[in-house]
Each structure stands twice: as C-alpha cells, then as structure tokens.
Amino acid sequence: MFQLYEYAPENTQVWETAWFRIEDKNYYDLRTAFWVYMNKIIPLILMVIWFMTCKKWWYHVILIPMCMYGFQFYTALNNTTNILDIVEIYWLLPIMCIIIPFVYLIRIKLVDKYVHGIDLKKIDAELEEYERREQEQQNTSKEAQTQEVH
C-alpha cells in the first residue's frame, strides 16, 4: 500500500483521468504529496486496526501515536507552510494527559487483583459487615444500659 505513491504522475500538480481530478499545490508535485500522505496514513490505518483488535489492558496507549499520525496527516493535507511534524506534539500533550493516567489506573487495579490477590469489592464487603456488627454491638450495649437504669 505504501508504494501507491509511485502511480502518481511526476512533475505535475494536477492529475486528471476520466474518473477523477486531483490537484495539490502545496507540494512540488503530486508524487511528493502522495509520498507524504502515505507516510502518514499507512501507520494510522495499521494503528487503528491494532487498537480495534487488541485485547490487552494497555490498548488505550495506542491512542497516543494514533492521534499523532492523525494530526500529522491533517497537517500534511492542509500544508500551507514548508514545516511538517513539529507542532503536532503540542496538540498531543492534552490527549496524553488524559490517556496516561487512565491506563495507569487500570494497571493498578489489575495488578492489585491478579498479582497481589487483592479484591477491593471483597474488602469493601468485609468492611461493611464489620461496621454492621459494630453497629449491632453498640445497639445491644445501649439497650442493656437502658434496661439497667430502669
């Protein structure tokens, strides 16, 4: 798929056929433009497939390079300057600030449950049972005190 750029004509910015017309004035020629597009879209497609088919707990981390390639592809399509792949990291930082803590919290829960054998639901249930028993003991001791007074 990456070699599709070789089918684009060289030394022209317009490609006309009976079915379509492609024009790109942001690059030297269409072959260069297609080469840049393929460098961005192929890894993006592969990462989307990986993200959709991954069954590991850390699959959300794949969103970070996916977003990077998505921003780079968008910049390559709308290239009005000669600068590529520089400012995309600044757009990616807020996304990383959301995804990284989310994945870390999932990891902590999985490690606690499967590695250390700590089940938070069982611990919560035991604490509730302990509080219930303590409340019953307090109620019975209050009843006993009120009976002694009478």
Side-chain angles (χ1 to χ4, degrees):
M1 284 179 58
F2 178 74
Q3 301 298 326
L4 288 175
Y5 76 91
E6 291 183 1
Y7 293 106
E10 288 185 88
N11 301 325
T12 182
Q13 293 181 334
V14 179
W15 183 10
E16 282 193 53
T17 67
W19 300 286
F20 59 85
R21 173 188 161 92
I22 298 176
E23 183 175 359
D24 193 333
K25 295 188 179 189
N26 293 330
Y27 295 95
Y28 173 72
D29 63 359
L30 277 176
R31 184 171 281 194
T32 305
F34 278 34
W35 180 80
V36 171
Y37 300 154
M38 291 297 123
N39 271 318
K40 305 303 176 199
I41 197 74
I42 299 299
L44 180 62
I45 291 170
L46 293 174
M47 288 197 184
V48 166
I49 293 169
W50 186 18
F51 180 78
M52 295 297 188
T53 60
C54 187
K55 293 184 176 151
K56 303 290 184 184
W57 64 267
W58 48 263
Y59 75 99
H60 288 94
V61 175
I62 302 170
L63 288 172
I64 295 170
M66 275 176 47
C67 291
M68 182 189 67
Y69 278 112
F71 284 128
Q72 287 178 347
F73 182 66
Y74 176 77
T75 304
L77 285 175
N78 298 320
N79 185 18
T80 56
T81 66
N82 291 333
I83 301 171
L84 281 178
D85 302 340
I86 293 179
V87 296
E88 287 83 4
I89 190 69
Y90 299 121
W91 287 97
L92 195 60
L93 285 174
I95 295 169
M96 290 182 344
C97 289
I98 294 168
I99 292 173
I100 291 173
F102 179 70
V103 171
Y104 184 72
L105 288 174
I106 291 173
R107 181 193 171 279
I108 287 175
K109 286 186 176 186
L110 290 173
V111 166
D112 284 348
K113 187 172 185 177
Y114 295 111
V115 175
H116 299 297
I118 300 171
D119 190 2
L120 295 178
K121 290 180 183 177
K122 287 182 182 177
I123 293 173
D124 287 340
E126 288 176 10
L127 286 174
E128 288 176 8
E129 179 65 23
Y130 177 75
E131 289 175 358
R132 186 186 62 78
R133 286 183 186 171
E134 190 174 284
Q135 189 71 21
E136 286 177 359
Q137 286 178 353
Q138 288 177 354
N139 289 340
T140 55
S141 66
K142 284 182 185 178
E143 289 174 4
Q145 286 176 358
T146 56
Q147 288 177 359
E148 288 177 7
V149 172
H150 295 300

